[in-house]
């Protein structure tokens, strides 16, 4: 009996010794050009002389990998990914040399010789990651001479309407950032900014559809991060770009960079002139009295803007970087829109009246962003990062409305006695200021456990006075007087404090990242009439609200095989009402609608679930993403069908869908990227009260889908060809529907003088 015990104990110790003696290899994979981590890189271990893969792994979100259980012997390590050159490292495992570490394995973009003619490879247009997708838009020919709004139109699952409003997977509750921060973009101004920002400044677009607790909880649909170019090559270098389009628009930009071991610096200046043409139509029937209101219009205008960026990074020591960055945008536009409004009774052969409204808009605007940053690296992955930024957005806009109304007799002849004319001038002055502080700390406490924690403070101020001057008897506006009843001064303050902590750990094939974010914010609004502005004793007390909410996140991943990964995510997010939605002032500038805000609005909250499956092959990859997002206290845009328009917290909603993303590379010269999104939205029925009326709305639901595919072909002699197709199906909206739409972009590019000169031609 004792012999059996001794033998079993001896066998156990031998097994433990053998397992302990087995080797392991770890490392981190980086992009050679940008020095950023590369995720989901295939890592294969082969025994020397054998083509069969012995063990494998896929790099994580920090570009890191770990492979254990390697017996003594000679091996080769190979890293591979579409659009990059393979990297091979040889190593051996023995009792005296069991553990190997590669702190930085750099992968370079691919290049291939074909038929003795050099064909330059291009960086992969789309990079698949489980928590986000990254689109390298600087390689897209169709973006030459475009704006940031036009770039976003070509990103899968992203939609941009005619006013520049951005939505993701059919949801307008999405945050748009620049370089990982809000950078002064708000729901009020981002349409204007994105329509002026040149595409030449953008390197890539990151779509983060389910952000962790590290990120702001704002935006129930997620975050779209615009990453601007910042090249790092030794010495001086620069570029110049000029372009024009068939509508009369022109653009130009200049870029200069300097990098050394002590200092990195860059400056970019761009100018853009736009010619704008558009139009719209409306058909409304009011069931209460069987009347109608219809119009068709065309608009035209032009705009000019200057966009500049500059930055300086001082490498104060081997472990400390101090940076200064800034953006400046100045510009303006004008627009002319003549609109005939037809009023009458359904079934009649004539209008009862016709109102011709001529709208002229003249606007000037400016954006300023300044940022100071400091980063201290204890080790490569152990660091503390601090930044402080200031943003200012100003817009001065003058809107002129000229109305001429003609009435008709029952027989359709003109009633000259009731003809009326009026002139209205509405100047609006917007001045938004935001300060933001951010502190992040990351520490890989052990090989398998990483802790991230930090603080974010954001302090927003808005002051938006609005006035109105009218001439009730003239089309020309020669006798203007101020309409005191239309005066409004609206101020908005929102202070947000947030603390977060996330922990990441790895157990074999399992990966877990859990986090918790706490946000406290205080909102203060005040809306003053002309009398209240001049007599403080008449003012109402400012409207104040305080909130505190917790936002957990949980990410679970499982490595099914060396090329397959499964992930389940959960986050809680919110959508706060923005300033204009809270202003109770009744705006009558629209000839057909009285619009006003609702100071009682509260945030809407969403629980976001997603299930992701990633499969990679040597030249192909597939990402399937199923998502489910219930939302409470939905902020809905309400129109009573006759006169009033506002916002309410009304009901619950549900968004769910499936997103399919495919990446393929054929013959090393053809990249094909395809994505499709199929989603269903349901808004439950609700009841609301407006101007003493109780209105029941049954809610609505709709199913819609969109698909996008892009083919990039690298040809000999410096030519490249690119084609992009988009299609969006018909979609129901709260009061009507949006028709299906499609677009095709074709682009051809040719490089000269060893790629020092590039000429591109594209059409849409």
């Amino acid at each position: 009996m004792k012999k059996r015990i001794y033998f079993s104990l001896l066998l156990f110790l031998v097994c433990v010794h053998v397992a302990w003696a087995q080797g392991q290899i770890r490392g981190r994979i980086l992009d050679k050009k940008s020095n950023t981590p590369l995720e989901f890189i295939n890592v294969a271990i082969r025994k020397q002389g054998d083509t069969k893969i012995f063990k494998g792994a896929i790099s994580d979100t920090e570009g890191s990998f770990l492979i254990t259980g390697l017996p003594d012997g000679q091996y080769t390590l190979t890293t591979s990914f579409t659009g990059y050159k393979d990297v091979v490292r040889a190593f051996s495992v023995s009792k005296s040399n069991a553990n190997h570490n590669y702190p930085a394995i750099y992968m370079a973009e691919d290049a291939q010789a074909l038929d003795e003619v050099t064909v330059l490879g291009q960086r992969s247009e789309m990079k698949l990651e489980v928590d986000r997708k990254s689109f390298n838009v600087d390689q897209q020919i169709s973006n030459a001479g475009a704006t940031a709004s036009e770039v976003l139109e070509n990103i899968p699952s992203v939609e941009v309407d005619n006013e520049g409003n951005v939505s993701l997977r059919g949801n307008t509750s999405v945050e748009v950032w620049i370089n990982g921060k809000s950078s002064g973009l708000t729901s009020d101004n981002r349409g204007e900014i994105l329509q002026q920002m040149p595409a030449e400044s953008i390197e890539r677009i990151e779509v983060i559809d389910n952000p962790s607790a590290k990120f702001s909880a704002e935006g129930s649909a997620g975050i779209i991060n615009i990453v601007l170019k910042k090249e790092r090559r030794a010495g001086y270098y620069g570029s110049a770009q000029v372009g024009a389009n068939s509508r009369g628009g022109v653009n130009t930009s200049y870029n200069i960079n300097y990098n050394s071991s002590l200092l990195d610096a860059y400056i970019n200046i761009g100018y853009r002139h736009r010619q704008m043409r558009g139009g719209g139509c409306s058909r409304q029937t009011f069931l209460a009295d069987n009347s109608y209101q219809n119009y068709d219009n065309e608009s035209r205008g032009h705009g000019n803007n200057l966009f500049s960026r500059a930055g300086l990074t001082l490498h104060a020591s081997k472990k400390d970087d101090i940076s200064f960055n800034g953006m400046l945008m100045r510009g303006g536009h004008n627009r002319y829109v003549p609109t005939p409004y037809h009023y009458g009774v359904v079934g009649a052969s004539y209008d009862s009246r016709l109102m011709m409204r001529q709208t002229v808009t003249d606007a000037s605007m400016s954006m300023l962003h300044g940022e100071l940053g400091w980063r201290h690296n204890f080790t490569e992955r152990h660091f503390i990062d601090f930044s402080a930024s200031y943003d200012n957005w100003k817009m001065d806009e003058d809107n002129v409305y000229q109305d001429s109304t003609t009435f008709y007799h029952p027989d359709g002849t003109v009633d000259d006695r009731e003809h009326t004319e009026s002139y209205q001038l509405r100047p609006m002055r917007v001045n938004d200021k935001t300060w933001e502080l951010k502190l992040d700390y990351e520490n890989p406490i052990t090989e398998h456990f990483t802790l991230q924690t930090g603080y974010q403070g954001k302090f927003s101020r808005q002051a938006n006075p609005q006035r109105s001057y009218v001439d009730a008897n003239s089309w020309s506006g020669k006798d203007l007087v101020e309409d005191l009843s239309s005066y409004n001064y609206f101020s908005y303050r929102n202070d947000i404090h947030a603390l977060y902590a996330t922990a990441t750990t790895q157990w074999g094939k399992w990966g877990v990242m859990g986090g918790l974010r706490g946000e406290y914010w205080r909102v203060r609004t005040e809306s003053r009439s002309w009398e209240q502005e001049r007599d403080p004793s008449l003012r109402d007390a400012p409207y104040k609200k305080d909130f505190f909410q917790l936002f957990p996140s949980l990410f679970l991943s499982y490595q099914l095989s060396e090329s397959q990964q499964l992930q389940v995510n959960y986050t809680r997010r919110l959508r706060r009402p923005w300033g204009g939605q809270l202003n109770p002032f009744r705006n009558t500038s629209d000839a057909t609608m009285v619009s006003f805000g609702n100071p009682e609005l509260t945030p809407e909250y969403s629980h976001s679930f997603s299930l992701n499956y990633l499969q990679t092959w040597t030249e192909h990859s597939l990402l399937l993403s199923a998502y489910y997002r219930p939302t409470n206290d939905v902020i809905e845009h309400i129109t009573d069908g006759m006169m009033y328009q506002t916002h309410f917290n009304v009901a619950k909603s549900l968004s769910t869908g499936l997103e399919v993303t495919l990446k393929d590379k054929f013959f090393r010269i053809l990249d094909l990227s395809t994505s499709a999104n199929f989603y269903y939205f349901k808004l439950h029925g609700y009841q609301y009260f407006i101007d003493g009326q109780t209105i029941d709305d049954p809610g609505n639901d709709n199913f819609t889908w969109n698909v996008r595919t892009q083919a990039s072909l690298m040809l000999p002699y410096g030519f490249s060809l690119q084609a992009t197709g988009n299609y969006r199906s018909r979609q129901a909206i709260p009061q009507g529907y949006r028709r299906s739409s499609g677009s095709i972009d074709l682009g051809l590019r040719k490089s000269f003088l060893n790629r020092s000169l590039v000429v591109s031609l594209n059409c849409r």
Side-chain angles (χ1 to χ4, degrees):
M1 182 66 178
K2 290 182 179 180
K3 290 182 179 180
R4 290 182 180 178
I5 295 175
Y6 289 146
F7 178 77
S8 299
L9 182 59
L10 179 61
L11 181 61
F12 173 76
L13 292 175
V14 169
C15 292
V16 170
H17 176 74
V18 171
W20 186 264
Q22 288 181 333
Q24 67 177 26
I25 183 170
R26 68 174 63 252
R28 194 174 188 222
I29 305 171
L30 306 171
D31 184 289
K32 187 174 182 179
K33 182 179 179 181
S34 64
N35 200 41
T36 56
L38 293 176
E39 307 174 56
F40 300 102
I41 301 296
N42 291 310
V43 182
I45 302 295
R46 296 177 175 88
K47 293 183 177 180
Q48 282 195 5
D50 193 350
T51 58
K52 184 179 179 180
I53 296 177
F54 179 68
K55 281 184 175 290
I58 295 178
S59 62
D60 63 16
T61 55
E62 297 295 332
S64 301
F65 66 89
L66 171 65
I67 298 175
T68 60
L70 298 175
D72 292 354
Q74 304 291 322
Y75 299 93
T76 59
L77 175 148
T78 304
T79 64
S80 60
F81 193 76
T82 303
Y84 288 88
K85 291 181 179 179
D86 291 353
V87 175
V88 180
R89 297 282 188 271
F91 67 98
S92 61
V93 174
S94 63
K95 292 181 180 179
S96 61
N97 191 23
N99 299 324
H100 295 266
N101 184 26
Y102 291 95
I105 298 176
Y106 287 100
M107 296 186 70
E109 297 173 8
D110 195 10
Q112 175 73 11
L114 181 66
D115 296 335
E116 298 183 353
V117 177
T118 300
V119 179
L120 295 176
Q122 64 179 354
R123 184 170 41 178
S124 179
E125 182 266 339
M126 181 169 59
K127 179 181 173 184
L128 298 180
E129 307 168 26
V130 175
D131 70 329
R132 71 184 70 183
K133 289 180 287 292
S134 202
F135 301 89
N136 293 307
V137 299
D138 60 339
Q139 296 291 330
Q140 293 190 11
I141 303 172
S142 60
N143 288 336
T147 65
S149 288
E150 293 167 319
V151 172
L152 290 174
E153 288 176 5
N154 274 330
I155 300 300
S157 300
V158 177
E159 298 176 8
V160 184
D161 66 16
N162 292 334
E163 302 300 323
N165 300 311
V166 181
S167 60
L168 176 62
R169 290 175 172 173
N171 190 339
T172 57
S173 176
V174 57
E175 283 287 278
V176 180
W177 290 353
I178 299 175
N179 289 339
K181 299 181 178 65
S182 60
S183 301
L185 270 66
T186 68
S187 299
D188 289 319
N189 64 31
R190 70 186 180 199
E192 292 282 358
I193 295 174
L194 295 177
Q195 288 176 342
Q196 297 187 69
M197 181 181 293
E200 290 78 19
S201 300
I202 304 174
E203 178 180 312
R204 67 181 186 275
I205 304 290
E206 295 178 342
V207 178
I208 311 173
D209 48 55
N210 210 12
S212 71
K214 178 180 179 179
F215 300 95
S216 168
E218 181 71 41
S220 55
I223 298 168
I224 298 173
N225 184 31
I226 300 174
V227 181
L228 303 181
K229 293 178 180 177
K230 187 179 178 183
E231 295 194 51
R232 293 197 63 182
R233 290 182 288 178
Y236 293 96
Y237 55 96
S239 63
Q241 180 269 338
V242 63
N245 62 48
S246 59
R247 287 192 170 184
V250 296
N251 61 87
T252 184
S253 66
Y254 305 91
N255 182 58
I256 299 176
N257 297 262
Y258 170 76
N259 291 312
S260 69
S261 59
L262 177 64
L263 191 68
D264 296 338
Y266 68 91
I267 184 169
N268 173 260
I269 299 176
Y271 170 79
R272 174 177 304 277
H273 171 76
R274 297 177 295 154
Q275 290 287 346
M276 299 171 287
R277 296 201 303 269
C281 65
S282 173
R283 302 291 183 267
Q284 295 186 50
T285 301
F286 304 108
L287 301 181
D289 58 0
N290 202 33
S291 63
Y292 65 80
Q293 172 194 278
N294 302 328
Y295 72 79
D296 294 85
N297 67 21
E298 293 184 358
S299 63
R300 62 180 184 269
H302 69 270
N304 299 280
N305 76 280
L306 182 72
F307 181 83
S308 60
R309 298 189 301 128
L312 181 71
T313 300
L314 175 66
H315 307 298
S317 71
K318 291 183 178 181
K319 295 186 176 182
D320 294 277
D321 289 338
I322 301 174
S323 60
F324 306 88
N325 299 284
M327 286 187 295
L328 175 66
M329 179 188 295
R330 296 186 66 88
H333 66 258
N334 61 53
R335 186 177 287 110
Y336 169 72
V337 187
T339 305
Y341 289 90
H342 299 267
Y343 300 88
V345 178
V346 175
S349 58
Y350 56 88
D351 296 329
S352 59
R353 61 187 169 105
L354 170 67
M355 185 185 79
M356 172 59 71
R357 163 161 286 197
Q358 181 171 283
T359 304
V360 180
T361 301
D362 189 10
S364 63
M365 59 202 70
S366 66
M367 181 195 77
L368 173 66
H369 170 77
E371 182 178 328
L372 168 66
W374 168 70
R375 181 182 176 110
H376 176 77
N377 296 292
F378 301 98
T379 62
E380 185 180 6
R381 295 177 58 193
H382 182 196
F383 64 85
I384 185 168
D385 198 339
F386 171 78
S387 65
S389 63
Y390 169 77
D391 298 280
N392 184 214
W393 164 256
K394 290 184 178 180
M395 184 170 73
D396 293 339
E397 184 174 80
D398 291 334
N399 292 287
V400 172
Y401 306 96
Q402 295 169 281
D403 296 338
S404 175
T405 303
T406 302
F407 294 83
Y408 297 90
H409 292 297
D411 60 0
T413 58
V414 176
D415 185 348
D416 293 329
R417 293 172 300 175
E418 294 194 30
H419 179 79
T420 62
E421 293 183 348
S422 66
Y423 181 102
Q424 184 179 182
L425 167 64
R426 282 184 175 266
M428 178 172 283
R429 305 295 179 253
V430 177
N431 188 0
D432 298 348
K433 299 177 181 180
T434 303
W435 294 264
E436 186 170 357
L437 300 175
K438 201 167 188 298
L439 179 67
D440 295 303
Y441 173 75
E442 182 171 331
N443 186 3
I445 296 174
T446 68
E447 295 178 354
H448 303 289
F449 184 82
T450 299
L451 177 67
Q452 294 177 314
T453 186
Y455 163 81
Q456 183 177 6
K458 187 175 180 180
F459 314 99
S460 303
R461 303 288 185 270
Q462 294 182 11
N464 303 332
Q466 178 174 296
R467 311 183 80 159
S468 177
Y469 301 88
V470 297
D471 182 344
N473 302 307
S474 169
W475 171 273
S476 61
K478 60 182 179 180
D479 298 317
L480 284 178
V481 295
E482 185 170 5
D483 179 9
L484 302 183
S485 64
S486 296
Y487 177 90
N488 179 249
Y489 181 91
F490 179 68
S491 64
Y492 169 78
R493 297 178 60 179
N494 188 14
D495 296 337
I496 304 173
H497 301 271
L499 291 170
Y500 78 88
T502 65
T504 305
T505 186
Q506 190 82 26
W507 296 313
K509 294 184 177 182
W510 284 96
V512 180
M513 182 174 73
L516 183 64
R517 185 181 186 92
E519 292 195 0
Y520 166 79
W521 68 100
R522 182 182 184 185
V523 179
R524 169 176 167 162
T525 64
E526 188 173 6
S527 182
R528 299 199 292 260
S529 66
W530 187 87
E531 292 82 6
Q532 291 172 326
E533 182 70 13
R534 283 149 183 78
D535 187 353
S537 65
L538 300 176
R539 297 177 186 176
D540 300 321
Y543 195 85
K544 300 178 182 180
K545 279 191 177 181
D546 293 71
F547 302 86
F548 176 76
Q549 292 287 328
L550 295 175
F551 300 93
S553 66
L554 180 64
F555 291 71
L556 300 175
S557 64
Y558 181 74
Q559 200 72 42
L560 297 169
S561 68
E562 64 181 29
S563 60
Q564 298 181 82
Q565 189 178 67
L566 190 67
Q567 189 182 65
V568 180
N569 303 337
Y570 163 74
T571 63
R572 183 175 187 249
R573 302 189 60 76
L574 86 161
R575 177 188 190 182
R576 296 181 180 92
W578 47 274
Q581 293 176 327
L582 301 171
N583 186 3
F585 171 69
R586 301 206 166 196
N587 190 336
T588 58
S589 60
D590 189 320
T592 64
M593 194 68 62
V594 177
S595 60
F596 52 93
N598 179 5
E600 298 286 345
L601 281 179
T602 60
E604 62 178 41
Y605 299 95
S606 299
H607 298 277
S608 183
F609 302 86
S610 65
L611 173 65
N612 304 300
Y613 169 76
L614 176 66
Q615 167 73 64
T616 60
W617 297 272
T618 304
E619 302 290 350
H620 312 280
S621 57
L622 167 68
L623 177 65
L624 298 176
S625 300
Y627 54 92
Y628 177 84
R629 185 174 60 245
T631 302
N632 296 318
D633 298 326
V634 174
I635 300 174
E636 184 67 15
H637 185 262
I638 298 296
T639 302
D640 72 348
M642 288 294 290
M643 183 179 296
Y644 299 108
Q645 183 173 276
T646 186
H647 290 82
F648 284 100
N649 295 100
V650 292
K652 298 179 180 180
S653 71
L654 173 66
S655 298
T656 186
L658 176 67
E659 194 171 54
V660 183
T661 307
L662 286 166
K663 280 183 56 183
D664 302 282
K665 192 174 185 69
F666 301 98
F667 315 113
R668 290 188 173 268
I669 61 171
L670 175 62
D671 280 325
L672 189 64
S673 300
T674 304
S675 70
N677 185 31
F678 307 88
Y679 61 94
Y680 170 79
F681 173 80
K682 177 177 178 60
L683 178 67
H684 294 268
Y686 55 90
Q687 186 181 79
Y688 62 95
F689 305 91
I690 184 169
D691 262 30
Q693 301 181 62
T694 301
I695 300 176
D696 293 298
D697 193 300
N700 64 71
D701 65 324
N702 71 84
F703 171 80
T704 188
W705 58 276
N706 56 65
V707 63
R708 171 190 180 272
T709 185
Q710 181 178 84
S712 300
L713 182 64
M714 302 299 296
L715 301 174
Y717 307 107
F719 280 98
S720 57
L721 180 67
Q722 196 173 80
T724 304
N726 282 287
Y727 178 80
R728 294 188 176 97
S729 71
R730 169 175 161 150
Q731 180 183 3
I733 56 179
Q735 292 175 319
Y737 66 90
R738 186 194 65 200
R739 290 181 176 178
S740 60
S741 63
S743 67
I744 295 177
D745 292 354
L746 299 174
L748 179 67
R749 181 165 53 200
K750 173 71 171 76
S751 61
F752 302 89
L753 305 176
N754 195 25
R755 294 177 64 83
S756 295
L757 175 65
V758 178
V759 178
S760 62
L761 172 68
N762 63 77
C763 62
R764 171 171 295 186

